[in-house]
Amino acid sequence: MSHDTAARHPVATPQEAGGEEGGDHPSGGRASFELGGECRFCEMTRQHHPQCARRLPKRIILVRHGESQGNLDMSAYTTTPDYRIPLTALGAEQARAAGRGIRDVVASGGGNWKVYFYVSPYARTRATLREIGRAFPRDRIIGAREECRVREQDFGNFQVEERMRSVKETRQRFGRFFFRFPEGESAADVFDRVASFLESLWRDIDMGRLDQDPSCETNLVIVSHGLTSRVFLMKWFKWTVDQFERLNNFENCEFRVMQLGPGGEYSLLVHHTKEELEQWGMSREMIADQQWRASANRRSWAQECSSFIDSFFDDPKDSESSSEEEEEKENGKIKELE
């Protein structure tokens, strides 16, 4: 880095950065700092300098596994633990097709690109990854890692078919996010471990573990499960519980692309269409936020937190003055009645 560049893009200490290595990032608040790079600090809440050591992945792609034996026949869970449920022949075919589709997405801009995979430890997700991997030459794959924290929601060790049908009906009445399966997890529990995984993901990015070639465009692919992927999106985009409850599940081997926009934000609307987001159950407010993320410049943390303000307040006033005018009108009405 030249002296002029360093002057425009100063190095900061961890104390100046306001956090420690592995702390929260733009999807979560605190800044972080670099170790071993020319630039030790670059707030991820701003557009990055092209010569900065930290470089964000171009895309983060979430994929649900292919059709499993459990999707085909719920009785499979009565004799086989969930983590051992295999793919069907159709599921393997779906995974190969998904691999070709993902390759087309990441190669669409041409140039030097590579992929890094995270995968749930379940048999059906590992098998899905193997089939997806057939679409990629070995020199395009940076690496792959099994990640237990993106596993399926735990439903208990073995499942009694009739009991599970009844329990899932109860979940629909109770609410999908907070309902905890007997001897298993709630979606809220999954949220906690996904949040922990995101901390590690940012640390991997900070330390340059996913990508060593500065001329290469990196793409992360996370092969996981339907609910876990929805929870990942909820955590990333700060969706509320009510907004999560609106969402439809991924189809088998359906993938959703979070792509980095020109302003330094990831958005589903860079690759996908508004109609697709509507089909997934996203509200008008959620889609508007994705539109902003696809093109706008970064805003302050306080402004970002208020992106779903209408979800928390009824008819919030535009300003303090407008609130005072309303109060004066109400007082005037009361005096007329007196």
Side-chain angles (χ1 to χ4, degrees):
M1 184 180 292
S2 69
H3 177 74
D4 289 342
T5 301
R8 292 194 304 271
H9 198 64
V11 170
T13 66
Q15 290 76 20
E16 291 169 331
E20 300 175 354
E21 178 204 347
D24 293 340
H25 290 282
S27 23
R30 284 199 321 256
S32 177
F33 67 100
E34 292 272 345
L35 294 175
E38 289 180 320
C39 171
R40 294 179 57 220
F41 169 60
C42 173
E43 283 187 306
M44 297 187 75
T45 54
R46 296 180 185 160
Q47 181 67 48
H48 307 300
H49 191 281
Q51 296 186 39
C52 178
R54 176 190 284 123
R55 295 186 312 107
L56 293 177
K58 178 68 175 289
R59 300 173 189 87
I60 300 175
I61 301 174
L62 305 173
V63 193
R64 186 188 175 196
H65 59 81
E67 181 190 74
S68 72
Q69 194 61 42
N71 296 140
L72 202 60
D73 179 8
M74 276 189 65
S75 67
Y77 296 106
T78 65
T79 56
T80 307
D82 194 0
Y83 73 94
R84 291 182 181 172
I85 296 287
L87 286 185
T88 63
L90 174 59
E93 184 181 326
Q94 290 171 334
R96 289 191 288 273
R100 294 190 293 271
I102 292 169
R103 183 198 59 205
D104 290 345
V105 170
V106 300
S108 59
N112 188 13
W113 56 267
K114 291 191 178 182
V115 291
Y116 190 100
F117 295 96
Y118 288 94
V119 62
S120 157
Y122 281 37
R124 56 188 179 272
T125 43
R126 289 178 61 97
T128 298
L129 174 60
R130 281 193 292 273
E131 299 303 326
I132 286 174
R134 297 179 190 278
F136 295 91
R138 180 63 187 87
D139 62 356
R140 293 288 190 177
I141 301 175
I142 300 170
R145 184 184 307 172
E146 181 176 287
E147 176 51 69
C148 284
R149 288 169 293 183
V150 298
R151 68 185 185 273
E152 175 65 289
Q153 179 181 7
D154 289 335
F155 299 108
N157 295 323
F158 289 96
Q159 301 172 26
V160 179
E161 186 175 358
E162 288 306 315
R163 182 184 180 219
M164 284 304 294
R165 290 185 193 279
S166 174
V167 168
K168 288 184 177 181
E169 288 173 6
T170 304
R171 177 180 61 172
Q172 289 300 110
R173 298 196 306 271
F174 187 93
R176 289 181 298 173
F177 189 76
F178 291 113
F179 181 85
R180 178 174 285 111
F181 283 86
E183 302 174 357
E185 286 183 307
S186 66
D189 295 324
V190 178
F191 182 97
D192 291 340
R193 55 177 162 87
V194 166
S196 170
F197 165 63
L198 274 171
E199 294 256 345
S200 300
L201 176 60
W202 284 120
R203 187 156 53 245
D204 285 344
I205 293 170
D206 285 350
M207 303 300 289
R209 293 170 182 155
L210 309 183
D211 150 23
Q212 288 78 39
D213 182 355
S215 67
C216 179
E217 183 179 281
T218 306
N219 300 272
L220 300 186
V221 180
I222 302 174
V223 185
S224 183
H225 306 264
L227 182 133
T228 308
S229 297
R230 282 177 284 147
V231 166
F232 183 99
L233 294 170
M234 176 191 183
K235 169 61 179 170
W236 188 286
F237 293 121
K238 303 177 182 63
W239 292 337
T240 66
V241 171
D242 285 344
Q243 288 168 333
F244 169 84
E245 295 279 6
R246 294 180 53 96
L247 301 174
N248 300 317
N249 200 9
F250 290 38
E251 298 293 335
N252 290 121
C253 271
E254 183 180 7
F255 61 86
R256 298 184 184 173
V257 180
M258 299 163 51
Q259 186 162 323
L260 199 62
E265 283 276 6
Y266 287 95
S267 172
L268 294 164
L269 271 176
V270 176
H271 175 78
H272 299 287
T273 66
K274 181 180 175 183
E275 289 70 30
E276 285 179 293
L277 271 59
E278 289 172 346
Q279 291 170 6
W280 299 343
M282 293 177 61
S283 68
R284 185 167 54 185
E285 186 180 28
M286 296 162 76
I287 294 172
D289 183 65
Q290 292 297 315
Q291 288 174 322
W292 177 87
R293 290 172 182 271
S295 59
N297 292 321
R298 296 285 321 188
R299 53 188 163 185
S300 72
W301 172 245
Q303 288 173 314
E304 186 169 332
C305 276
S306 67
S307 59
F308 297 124
I309 194 167
D310 290 342
S311 299
F312 299 95
F313 302 101
D314 293 330
D315 191 25
K317 303 297 183 291
D318 291 335
S319 66
E320 187 175 349
S321 59
S322 63
S323 180
E324 289 172 352
E325 289 171 5
E326 293 265 342
E327 189 175 342
E328 287 175 5
K329 287 180 182 178
E330 287 297 322
N331 290 336
K333 288 178 182 178
I334 291 170
K335 286 181 181 178
E336 286 177 8
L337 292 172
E338 291 175 345

